[in-house]
Amino acid sequence: MCEIIVPVVTVLNDKEKPDFDENKKVIDFLIGSGVDGILVLGSTGEFTVLDYEDKLQFAKDYYEYTNGRVDLYLGTNCPLFEETVNLSNEAIKMGYKGAMVIGPYYYGTDDEKMYIYYNELAKRVDGNIYIYNFPDRSGYSISSETYAKLVKENKNIVGLKDSVLDPLHTNGLLRATEEVDTKVYSGFDDQFLYNLSTGGSGCIGGLGNIVPDIWSDLVNATRTKDFDRTYKLSNLIHKLMPLYALDSNFSHLFKRLLNVRGIEISPKSIFPYDQLSDETYNKGREILENVLSEYDKIK
């Protein structure tokens, strides 16, 4: 079954801490629009400024408020490996479906180190782990051979988010793991149909923050094999992709565009990515409004 999981934005206060009352508005918007899952504190969630206690409290608040209305996943990355292990276990004890982990920070790495890292993590986490492959941010891309070895030796490594420009990498992961049960998701919204055709499970895509209704409609059309509608809705997703390139950190823009959708939240983002020119914002708003206008015509 294909899914849309949204790597959700984190609404922050002026001190760059989560404002949970404001975050509730985003949660209700996503759940009300029918998304399959929410990834809390992924890259879109600007997790890098939060310490361990911030992340743990935010995870608790999120789980309590959603109250089983949607599947939840938690980005558990911390600079310290021990904290990543602890936060992953705490999330799973709460009821999260799994921990999403991007791997070690800063230093160059290779397949050997990637295997050591995730193999040790799997041995110490009592629940599902999803690998987050994002070479533009981490500087490495896990090989299909290493991924296959990890999932064959660790039953709790159950999937991967593949944020790669070349979808052939995703195909390689899936070809290497055909004999095991694993979920590989596209990290880029416009690779959704390719991901499914190569045996993947769907998308963990940031556009779901601002158009969860279009995304949910697309997933449902795909499930019911309504191919004409699937292609039309997929085309709308493709038309939104330029939003990602308008600013170096799209989270701030997406928060402002949520206000365009009627979700009144603070656009505050982490420094120095908390500013946006009027020209960039207006261009983003124009792209979104044009797509929403097209969507209204095919509802």
Side-chain angles (χ1 to χ4, degrees):
M1 178 180 290
C2 62
E3 297 178 296
I4 175 60
I5 299 170
V6 181
V8 67
V9 296
T10 304
V11 187
L12 303 171
N13 62 25
D14 290 340
K15 295 181 180 179
E16 296 188 355
K17 301 290 186 182
D19 182 333
F20 200 70
D21 283 338
E22 292 283 284
N23 280 283
K24 291 177 182 177
K25 300 176 183 177
V26 181
I27 293 170
D28 290 339
F29 178 52
L30 299 185
I31 294 176
S33 298
V35 303
D36 298 299
I38 296 176
L39 169 60
V40 184
L41 295 180
S43 298
T44 310
E46 300 174 291
F47 70 92
T48 56
V49 299
L50 303 180
D51 62 25
Y52 179 85
E53 293 302 325
D54 289 332
K55 293 174 183 176
L56 181 59
Q57 186 60 55
F58 192 57
K60 290 177 179 177
D61 291 339
Y62 227 97
Y63 191 80
E64 290 174 3
Y65 184 70
T66 55
N67 193 31
R69 291 181 290 158
V70 69
D71 287 343
L72 288 180
Y73 306 81
L74 185 69
T76 58
N77 289 95
C78 299
L80 296 177
F81 180 71
E82 290 296 325
E83 290 188 350
T84 301
V85 171
N86 293 340
L87 187 58
S88 299
N89 281 319
E90 289 293 336
I92 289 161
K93 283 192 290 185
M94 286 178 215
Y96 280 76
K97 300 288 284 188
M100 181 79 67
V101 184
I102 199 171
Y105 287 16
Y106 180 73
Y107 294 101
T109 191
D110 53 32
D111 278 350
E112 178 189 25
K113 299 299 187 299
M114 293 310 302
Y115 172 80
I116 292 170
Y117 182 88
Y118 284 113
N119 185 60
E120 180 67 14
L121 185 69
K123 298 294 188 287
R124 297 181 57 186
V125 172
D126 188 21
N128 292 340
I129 295 170
Y130 292 81
I131 293 173
Y132 184 12
N133 189 52
F134 196 0
D136 279 356
R137 293 291 179 269
S138 64
Y140 61 82
S141 186
I142 193 166
S143 71
S144 55
E145 294 80 10
T146 298
Y147 180 63
K149 184 178 180 182
L150 284 166
V151 298
K152 290 172 184 176
E153 295 179 3
N154 299 280
K155 291 184 178 180
N156 61 332
I157 297 180
V158 297
L160 179 146
K161 176 185 179 183
D162 208 20
S163 295
V164 293
L165 292 175
D166 183 2
L168 285 174
H169 183 266
T170 304
N171 185 52
L173 296 172
L174 287 158
R175 300 291 69 77
T177 56
E178 287 183 301
E179 70 273 29
V180 295
D181 186 17
T182 185
K183 291 186 173 183
V184 176
Y185 297 90
S186 165
F188 293 151
D189 306 67
D190 58 347
Q191 292 178 12
F192 172 67
L193 294 183
Y194 180 93
N195 175 278
L196 296 183
S197 68
T198 196
S201 297
C203 185
I204 302 177
L207 291 175
N209 284 280
I210 54 176
V211 288
D213 41 1
I214 295 177
W215 251 121
S216 297
D217 197 348
L218 172 56
V219 169
N220 288 331
T222 306
R223 289 171 179 166
T224 58
K225 297 181 173 57
D226 185 343
F227 298 119
D228 182 61
R229 187 163 187 79
T230 295
Y231 298 146
K232 287 179 180 178
L233 293 168
S234 181
N235 181 251
L236 295 183
I237 294 296
H238 280 255
K239 289 183 176 182
L240 289 168
M241 289 301 291
L243 291 173
Y244 282 115
L246 290 180
D247 195 54
S248 55
N249 179 8
F250 60 84
S251 295
H252 181 73
L253 173 61
F254 281 20
K255 290 176 189 178
R256 293 190 65 176
L257 294 179
L258 271 163
N259 282 271
V260 175
R261 295 303 315 270
I263 312 304
E264 297 181 359
I265 58 169
S266 167
K268 173 67 178 174
S269 293
I270 61 175
F271 177 82
Y273 308 102
D274 55 348
Q275 301 176 42
L276 198 68
S277 70
D278 289 341
E279 180 182 5
T280 298
Y281 168 69
N282 289 332
K283 179 62 176 175
R285 180 168 185 157
E286 179 184 10
I287 292 170
L288 175 60
E289 289 180 336
N290 286 342
V291 166
L292 291 174
S293 179
E294 287 190 51
Y295 182 50
D296 282 340
K297 296 175 183 177
I298 64 171
K299 281 184 178 177

